[in-house]
């Protein structure tokens, strides 16, 4: 932690640490976390006593899906108020007037939330593994990779939430970000529609342009979803996880950069 | 003398929510603060004090004008490292205990752990919050939060302290303590800039003041200049010096009240009072009391802020 960037890391760390402490002392968040774990456990434990192979697969697929979705929900709900709350409660006055760059404050807030997402993921992941183990379902071999990928997805949604909240209200930002999540999850579907030789996307240039720009401006979230591979036993190598991480990082940098640009120029009244 | 703060031709306009109306919060503010001064920034509510201060600490950008804090631009890391700032009605992370909040800021300042702990212990004792270490800030009263605010402003042992209404929200004992604290900062060679709309305490505390109203500086100077002894009136009690009308006709007399049989209270301009005293004594009257009516800052304030020629011209 020395040299020119030592100070930057230290300052970002201080803000991230505090953001993490805030969530860990927030009763609503802790309640939500416990409820999420309970949900994962109960929904999977209830489904009958004996398990066919078929149902065991459903258990794996549904479990991963629930965890990934809950991660995204946490990312969006906490991401859109990450900055808003500090401005609304005027707690930024005493932070931004310290020797710290605004972009460092923003990065610290983001990293703090990513740590919270990682912790929630570990909690839910452990609950999931516990249920699979209790039900004698063999653990999918690439379970950890799948969970890491769902964290990447949540990280990306956090960056998008931060971006929208730079100029929209929390509720509106939440709606936009969730919209981006839905569209992002359907990018492969849209891409397939674009290859069709018939239909409105082939005949209507305006519709085609809209679909094409949507596809290119929205991160493809299917990259982070390996539920099918898990069920079919197709290996998800760490190489793939690394590549997906790079893809996630690139988009995060873009959205974070845009949010930071707005944040930098903003007046704090 | 070296200037620690230089504000030149500051203007700040806000646009209201729907961009309907433009609010001119600060229209024309210029002043300098020298090293080691206690500088008072005075003005009624809505005068533009907080807006000016927010531009000084980099929270908002001026519409026009130039600001230098210890030679650098507001917001620059090297500048912010050497100042302490107390916002008006400060708000903090209320899920933290006071020492945890200070620890977070200490990390931002880059203070090593041992020094952080030492400073925090000393500051909490200094602002009288030692007993409140066990409580989160959520449970703090307004006055206690103000003390936390002062502690966090001093955490980096700054050369310059900027305090927005540091005396508001405190009980009389708290006010006295903060006043003593500000005086002790000056004794340690620090520069203190603070705003207030309450004047009584500032009179004792400040070396120099700027008076601002409706976004414009109305007066600036040392208290001596502004409340100059020569210009302060004298109140003279005389017995057997003639009728009230006769006294009122004398040069320099501002007002005469009869307060008993043949006893009058005469208020006269300070620079004419000697002349007046000689005259009444020559006439065989008895002088039973002379008191200086030092113009209070309050009176000056009202005078300059609300009835000054600039105020009228600005309408
Ligand atoms: N963000 C803002 N938008 C619109 N008007 C503002 C804003 N901030 C301050 N003002 C207005 O600017 C004027 C000066 O406010 P302020 O600087 O807070 O005064 P003071 O601190 O002297 O009481 C007030 O009339 C206030 O209503
Ligand atoms: Mg104010």
């Amino acid at each position: 932690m020395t040299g020119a960037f030592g100070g930057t890391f230290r300052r970002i760390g201080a803000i991230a640490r505090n953001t993490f402490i805030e969530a860990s002392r927030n009763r609503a968040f802790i309640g939500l976390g416990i409820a999420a774990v309970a949900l994962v456990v109960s929904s999977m434990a209830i489904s009958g006593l004996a398990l066919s192979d078929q149902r065991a697969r459903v258990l794996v697929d549904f479990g991963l899906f629930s965890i990934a979705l809950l991660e995204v929900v946490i990312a969006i709900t906490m991401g859109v108020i990450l900055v808003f709350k500090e401005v609304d409660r005027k707690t930024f006055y005493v932070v931004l007037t310290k020797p710290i760059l605004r972009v460092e404050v923003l990065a610290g807030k983001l990293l703090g939330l990513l740590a919270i997402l990682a912790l929630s993921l570990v909690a839910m992941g452990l609950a999931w593994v516990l249920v699979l183990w209790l039900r004698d379902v063999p653990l999918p071999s690439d379970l950890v990779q799948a969970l890491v990928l769902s964290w990447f997805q949540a990280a990306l949604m956090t960056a998008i939430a931060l971006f929208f909240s730079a100029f929209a209200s929390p509720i509106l930002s939440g709606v936009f970000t969730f919209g981006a999540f839905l569209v992002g999850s359907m990018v492969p579907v849209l891409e397939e529609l674009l290859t069709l030789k018939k239909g409105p996307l082939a005949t209507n240039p305006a519709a085609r342009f809209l679909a094409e720009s949507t596809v290119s401006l929205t991160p493809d979230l299917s990259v982070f979803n390996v539920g099918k591979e898990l069920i079919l036993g197709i290996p998800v190598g760490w190489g793939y996880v690394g590549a997906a991480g790079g893809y996630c990082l690139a988009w995060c940098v873009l959205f974070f950069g845009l949010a930071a640009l707005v944040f930098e120029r903003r007046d704090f009244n | 003398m070296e200037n620690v703060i230089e504000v030149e031709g500051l203007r700040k306009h806000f646009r209201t929510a729907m961009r309907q109306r433009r609010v001119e919060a600060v229209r024309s503010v210029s002043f300098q603060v020298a090293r080691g001064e206690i500088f008072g920034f005075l003005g009624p509510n809505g005068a533009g004090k907080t807006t000016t201060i927010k531009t000084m600490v980099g929270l908002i950008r001026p519409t026009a004008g130039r600001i230098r804090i210890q030679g650098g631009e507001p917001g620059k890391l090297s500048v912010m490292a050497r100042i302490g700032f107390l916002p008006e009605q400060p708000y903090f992370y209320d899920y933290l205990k006071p020492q945890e909040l200070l620890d977070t800021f200490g990390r931002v300042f880059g203070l090593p752990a041992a020094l952080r702990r030492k400073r925090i212990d000393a500051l909490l004792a200094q602002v009288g919050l030692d007993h409140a270490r066990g409580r989160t800030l959520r449970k703090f009263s307004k006055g206690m939060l103000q003390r936390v605010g002062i502690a966090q402003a001093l955490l980096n042992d700054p050369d310059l302290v900027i305090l927005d209404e540091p005396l508001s929200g405190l009980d009389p004992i708290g006010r006295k303590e903060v006043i003593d604290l500000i005086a002790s900062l000056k004794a340690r060679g620090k520069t203190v800039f603070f705003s207030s709309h309450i004047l009584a305490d500032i009179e004792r505390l400040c070396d120099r003041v700027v008076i601002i109203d409706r976004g414009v500086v109305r007066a600036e100077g040392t208290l001596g200049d502004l409340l100059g002894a020569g210009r302060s009136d004298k109140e003279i009690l005389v017995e057997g010096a003639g009728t009230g009308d006769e006294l009122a006709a004398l040069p320099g007399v501002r007002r005469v009240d009869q307060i008993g049989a043949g006893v009058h209270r005469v208020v006269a301009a300070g620079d004419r009072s000697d002349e007046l005293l000689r005259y009444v004594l020559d006439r065989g009257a008895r002088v039973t009391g002379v008191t200086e009516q030092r113009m209070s800052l309050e009176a000056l304030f009202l005078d300059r802020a609300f009835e000054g020629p600039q105020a009228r011209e600005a309408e």
Side-chain angles (χ1 to χ4, degrees):
Chain A
M1 296 293 257
T2 50
F5 292 107
T8 289
F9 288 133
R10 188 195 70 231
R11 294 188 290 266
I12 292 175
I15 301 297
R17 180 176 173 276
N18 187 58
T19 306
F20 186 84
I21 292 175
E22 172 173 14
S24 70
R25 292 188 186 178
N26 184 333
R27 286 204 199 93
F29 174 71
I30 295 169
L32 203 75
I34 293 171
V37 170
L39 192 76
V40 171
V41 173
S42 61
S43 66
M44 297 168 75
I46 290 167
S47 52
L49 279 175
L51 282 176
S52 61
D53 246 22
Q54 186 73 22
R55 295 186 73 177
R57 283 181 188 167
V58 170
L59 211 54
V60 169
D61 194 29
F62 180 69
L64 183 61
F65 172 79
S66 320
I67 290 173
L69 188 65
L70 281 166
E71 280 282 289
V72 168
V73 169
I74 298 172
I76 295 177
T77 50
M78 295 188 75
V80 293
I81 58 164
L82 208 54
V83 167
F84 174 82
K85 207 162 124 193
E86 300 251 8
V87 174
D88 192 50
R89 298 192 179 174
K90 301 182 178 177
T91 43
F92 261 165
Y93 288 176
V94 283
V95 176
L96 299 179
T97 50
K98 298 286 182 287
I100 185 167
L101 301 174
R102 288 186 180 185
V103 63
E104 291 170 346
V105 173
L106 207 59
K109 300 288 303 174
L110 178 69
L111 290 179
L113 182 44
L114 295 192
I116 293 159
L117 287 168
L119 189 75
S120 328
L121 186 71
V122 168
M124 290 191 287
L126 287 176
W128 184 37
V129 167
L130 182 73
V131 170
L132 293 179
W133 180 70
L134 285 175
R135 307 300 306 270
D136 280 333
V137 178
L139 294 185
S141 58
D142 295 336
L143 177 139
V144 176
Q145 285 90 319
L147 289 177
V148 171
L149 287 168
S150 76
W151 183 70
F152 287 163
Q153 172 173 262
L156 180 43
M157 296 322 293
T158 307
I160 295 176
L162 209 59
F163 164 71
F164 281 125
S165 73
F167 34 79
S169 73
I171 291 181
L172 219 53
S173 304
V175 171
F176 289 156
T177 313
F178 196 71
F181 172 67
L182 293 181
V183 174
S185 305
M186 293 189 313
V187 163
V189 179
L190 281 172
E191 275 171 345
E192 209 168 302
L193 288 177
L194 280 169
T195 61
L196 293 181
K197 297 278 183 287
K198 278 190 260 176
L201 290 184
T203 51
N204 185 338
R208 184 168 187 87
F209 175 76
L210 197 72
E212 270 173 349
S213 36
T214 305
V215 165
S216 54
L217 286 177
T218 314
D220 180 0
L221 298 177
S222 70
V223 165
F224 308 110
N225 187 349
V226 290
K228 279 200 189 69
E229 286 81 348
L230 235 53
I231 292 175
L232 300 175
I234 302 170
V236 183
W238 284 107
Y240 177 79
V241 175
Y247 182 75
C248 166
L249 188 66
W251 278 106
C252 281
V253 167
L254 175 71
F255 285 116
F256 176 79
L258 291 171
L261 222 59
V262 177
F263 193 62
E264 187 63 40
R265 310 190 56 80
R266 174 166 181 179
D267 273 359
F268 290 91
N269 283 303
Chain B
M1 198 188 265
E2 183 194 354
N3 285 327
V4 176
I5 301 176
E6 288 178 2
V7 174
E8 230 180 273
L10 181 69
R11 279 152 57 91
K12 180 65 188 180
H13 300 167
F14 290 112
R15 292 192 179 279
T16 49
M18 306 308 285
R19 305 212 159 225
Q20 298 286 353
R21 211 163 50 84
R22 207 172 68 159
V23 181
E24 304 197 357
V26 175
R27 292 187 290 181
S28 166
V29 168
S30 305
F31 58 84
Q32 284 93 40
V33 179
R35 184 168 300 286
E37 278 189 314
I38 298 184
F39 192 94
F41 192 41
L42 308 182
N45 284 320
K49 301 183 296 294
T50 296
T51 304
T52 302
I53 289 175
K54 280 183 180 169
T55 61
M56 285 164 50
V57 295
L59 284 171
I60 60 180
R61 284 162 199 277
T63 305
R66 180 176 164 276
I67 298 176
R68 280 277 171 283
I69 306 291
Q70 314 214 69
E73 274 194 31
K76 230 180 113 190
L77 292 189
S78 60
V79 170
M80 304 316 279
R82 288 162 58 215
I83 72 171
F85 169 54
L86 170 73
E88 186 175 23
Q89 295 165 4
Y91 297 89
F92 306 107
Y93 299 119
D94 61 4
Y95 45 87
L96 296 178
K97 293 171 181 166
Q99 67 273 21
E100 292 173 331
L101 181 86
L102 295 177
D103 184 69
T104 299
F105 292 150
R107 286 167 190 267
V108 172
F109 279 121
L111 303 176
L115 179 61
R116 223 154 58 213
R117 177 172 305 218
K118 209 178 106 203
R119 285 253 177 98
I120 291 168
D121 288 350
L123 279 170
L124 286 180
Q126 195 180 352
V127 299
L129 285 178
D130 239 349
H131 66 285
R133 280 171 166 266
R135 273 178 272 172
T136 56
L137 297 175
R138 187 177 299 128
K139 304 199 178 81
F140 274 39
S141 70
K142 216 175 155 219
M144 288 164 84
L145 288 175
Q146 194 80 349
R147 289 158 190 261
V148 174
I150 289 169
Q152 62 85 35
L154 299 177
L155 188 58
N156 55 333
D157 194 22
D159 306 327
L160 165 65
V161 188
I162 297 173
L163 312 166
D164 196 356
E165 307 261 1
L167 298 171
S168 73
L170 294 174
D171 57 23
I173 296 168
R175 294 168 72 85
K176 164 97 174 60
E177 285 173 0
V178 173
I179 288 170
D180 291 349
L181 189 94
I182 291 175
S184 80
L185 290 174
K186 179 186 162 76
R188 283 160 53 199
K190 317 241 178 246
T191 311
V192 182
F193 176 97
F194 78 102
S195 74
S196 182
H197 67 279
I198 304 160
L199 306 161
D201 310 299
I202 284 171
E203 256 185 288
R204 278 180 279 157
L205 210 52
C206 292
D207 300 310
R208 272 187 332 122
V209 298
V210 148
I211 297 177
I212 174 183
D213 181 47
R214 280 169 274 189
V216 179
V217 169
R218 304 292 181 194
E220 179 185 2
T222 65
L223 287 179
D225 289 345
L226 294 177
L227 315 170
R231 286 192 281 129
S232 62
D233 291 350
K234 291 227 167 60
E235 186 184 281
I236 302 164
L237 294 178
V238 289
E239 209 178 320
T243 67
D245 287 343
E246 283 170 353
L247 287 168
L250 296 173
V253 172
R254 297 196 194 283
R255 66 183 279 193
V256 178
D257 299 306
Q258 182 158 12
I259 55 172
V263 183
H264 292 91
R265 178 172 55 209
V266 183
V267 178
D271 52 352
R272 309 299 294 270
S273 57
D274 287 355
E275 203 179 315
L276 180 75
L277 281 168
R278 210 169 292 125
Y279 177 84
V280 294
L281 288 170
D282 284 351
R283 291 189 63 179
R286 237 159 52 86
V287 175
T288 55
V290 180
T291 43
E292 187 180 13
Q293 275 203 324
R294 212 167 96 95
M295 187 180 188
S296 77
L297 206 46
E298 193 100 48
L300 176 83
F301 188 71
L302 291 170
D303 193 36
R304 298 287 176 115
F306 302 112
E307 287 154 50
Q310 288 157 302
R312 256 179 270 125
E313 144 204 332
E315 290 313 312

